[in-house]
Amino acid sequence: MKIARLFGAAAAVVMTTGALVAVAVPASGQDLLNPDIVPAMQRDLGLTQDQVLTRLKSEDVANKVTEAVSATLGDAFGGATYNAATGKAHIQTTSAAEVAKIRSSGAEAEVVKFSARQLDSTVDKFKALDSSAPYAVTGWGVDSATNRVTLSVLQGQRAAADTFLTQSGVDKSSVTILDAAAKPTLHANIRGGDAYYIGGSSRCSVGFSTTTGFLTAGHCAALTGGGSLTGSNGAALGSWGTYRFPGSDYASVRTNSSWTPVGQMNNGTRVTGSSNAATGTSVCKAGSTTGWTCGTVGAKNQSVRYAEGTVNGMTATNVRSAAGDSGGGFIAGNTAQGILSGGNTSVTYFFPIGAALSATGTTLRLG
């Protein structure tokens, strides 16, 4: 039997030029996406229909402006967020001389202490000490909103964070310690359910359709021994391609001739490319347990310390998810963002789509 649709993902062409240019606003939010995204964002972000459409249009412009401006700033780039109150990109720089350039692009400007590369360097120092980090440390990563690296630790265990900071030798003024309510856990459900199955028992979610199959979470393969794959209808699905976990969290699956990957998510939203949306941008995900849920992009370049191993380079969100959603696709508008990895009751992490595509040598199926 031919299967016409897998759990796909969205994507869009991104601006690659470093020039500061005017960006056209789409005529209508409806031009960008399937209407199903609108009620989901209304529900999860507390917006009206008109506010959703307006936000999607302004986010599209803001992200293109950010990509163009950041390329011109080089080492002076401090980070960027989306300001939902003004509908503009908020771009940080370590050089006051760059403020006028940023503002001339239509973005907000802020002078900050640390460059994005400095913050990423701090993250790299933490990653090098992962194997010796205290159990109470649940992760770390860049928070563009505060121009700091956040270090998360279980409540009541701040001494462990202080010890780890001293061991790392990083500039402590660049780090903010945050309390974590619980240790993050992977969202692969070994109890079964809808979506696709591994070895007849474990369940994960398809993320993004590719020209040869689909992408999903690497731990869905690694923690199940790369078992046999079946679809939600019980039919053989295909075979594992490249996958990695821990360190990263991505996997490719080569579907067999009974399945036809298409450039859509399971609610019909089209896939038109991929991008790297700024912190603060609205984002939605499709998963086989919690379905279609929305929130905003949070801190980036996050290292998340699961009991099964640490995953680096992830992006945090406040999107709701649960066990079995692992591998599900995150999109902003029609643009693919990443693959759901795991989280806890307050945060869900995704592994960036660009890194997953590059590592697996796959290409998104576009709709």
Side-chain angles (χ1 to χ4, degrees):
M1 180 181 67
K2 290 285 186 179
I3 305 299
R5 183 174 67 189
L6 296 180
F7 288 24
V13 178
V14 298
M15 177 183 292
T16 57
T17 177
L20 300 183
V21 297
V23 182
V25 179
S28 167
Q30 298 286 7
D31 297 336
L32 296 176
L33 43 87
N34 183 283
D36 284 348
I37 196 173
V38 177
M41 289 180 64
Q42 288 179 249
R43 179 194 66 212
D44 293 340
L45 296 179
L47 303 174
T48 66
Q49 181 179 23
D50 287 344
Q51 287 172 331
V52 169
L53 298 178
T54 298
R55 176 164 179 156
L56 288 167
K57 289 186 285 187
S58 64
E59 286 177 347
D60 183 59
V61 174
N63 284 323
K64 287 180 170 63
V65 169
T66 296
E67 290 175 358
V69 174
S70 62
T72 70
L73 294 179
D75 287 339
F77 177 64
T81 62
Y82 171 74
N83 187 340
T86 63
K88 294 183 177 182
H90 185 91
I91 300 176
Q92 300 167 329
T93 179
T94 56
S95 173
E98 301 290 351
V99 168
K101 178 194 295 184
I102 294 171
R103 288 175 177 166
S104 69
S105 73
E108 300 169 353
E110 179 186 4
V111 178
V112 293
K113 180 177 180 180
F114 301 103
S115 70
R117 290 183 181 176
Q118 287 175 307
L119 296 178
D120 285 339
S121 176
T122 296
V123 168
D124 289 341
K125 290 178 181 178
F126 286 162
K127 289 194 294 189
L129 296 172
D130 177 53
S131 61
S132 60
Y135 174 83
V137 173
T138 65
W140 49 77
V142 175
D143 182 8
S144 295
T146 62
N147 190 234
R148 295 293 187 273
V149 170
T150 57
L151 181 67
S152 299
V153 63
L154 294 175
Q155 292 178 355
Q157 300 292 318
R158 289 227 164 186
D162 290 334
T163 299
F164 184 60
L165 273 177
T166 300
Q167 180 186 10
S168 70
V170 304
D171 180 353
K172 292 185 178 181
S173 70
S174 69
V175 180
T176 300
I177 299 176
L178 300 178
D179 287 331
K183 194 80 171 175
T185 58
L186 295 172
H187 280 168
N189 188 343
I190 60 173
R191 295 173 296 177
D194 270 332
Y196 78 92
Y197 297 84
I198 309 102
S201 58
S202 301
R203 173 169 61 90
C204 282
S205 301
V206 176
F208 305 98
S209 295
T210 67
T211 55
T212 55
F214 62 86
L215 293 176
T216 187
H219 70 262
C220 294
L223 300 184
T224 60
S228 60
L229 296 165
T230 54
S232 57
N233 61 354
L237 186 61
S239 59
W240 293 107
T242 302
Y243 63 83
R244 184 181 175 192
F245 176 86
S248 300
D249 198 0
Y250 59 79
S252 63
V253 171
R254 295 182 294 268
T255 51
N256 60 37
S257 59
S258 295
W259 299 80
T260 302
V262 296
Q264 295 180 355
M265 300 191 76
N266 63 332
N267 68 348
T269 299
R270 292 186 307 114
V271 179
T272 59
S274 62
S275 70
N276 182 15
T279 295
T281 303
S282 56
V283 68
C284 298
K285 79 97 184 61
S288 61
T289 299
T290 57
W292 185 253
T293 57
C294 300
T296 54
V297 175
K300 300 190 177 187
N301 195 10
Q302 301 287 297
S303 293
V304 181
R305 303 187 70 225
Y306 300 117
E308 297 86 350
T310 299
V311 179
N312 302 310
M314 292 211 287
T315 296
T317 75
N318 58 358
V319 175
R320 179 170 54 89
S321 66
D325 283 331
S326 283
F330 277 80
I331 67 167
N334 284 99
T335 64
Q337 299 299 312
I339 299 165
L340 195 154
S341 176
N344 54 35
T345 56
S346 61
V347 61
T348 295
Y349 299 95
F350 67 75
F351 189 77
I353 185 63
L357 289 168
S358 177
T360 58
T362 55
T363 303
L364 284 176
R365 173 75 72 179
L366 305 183

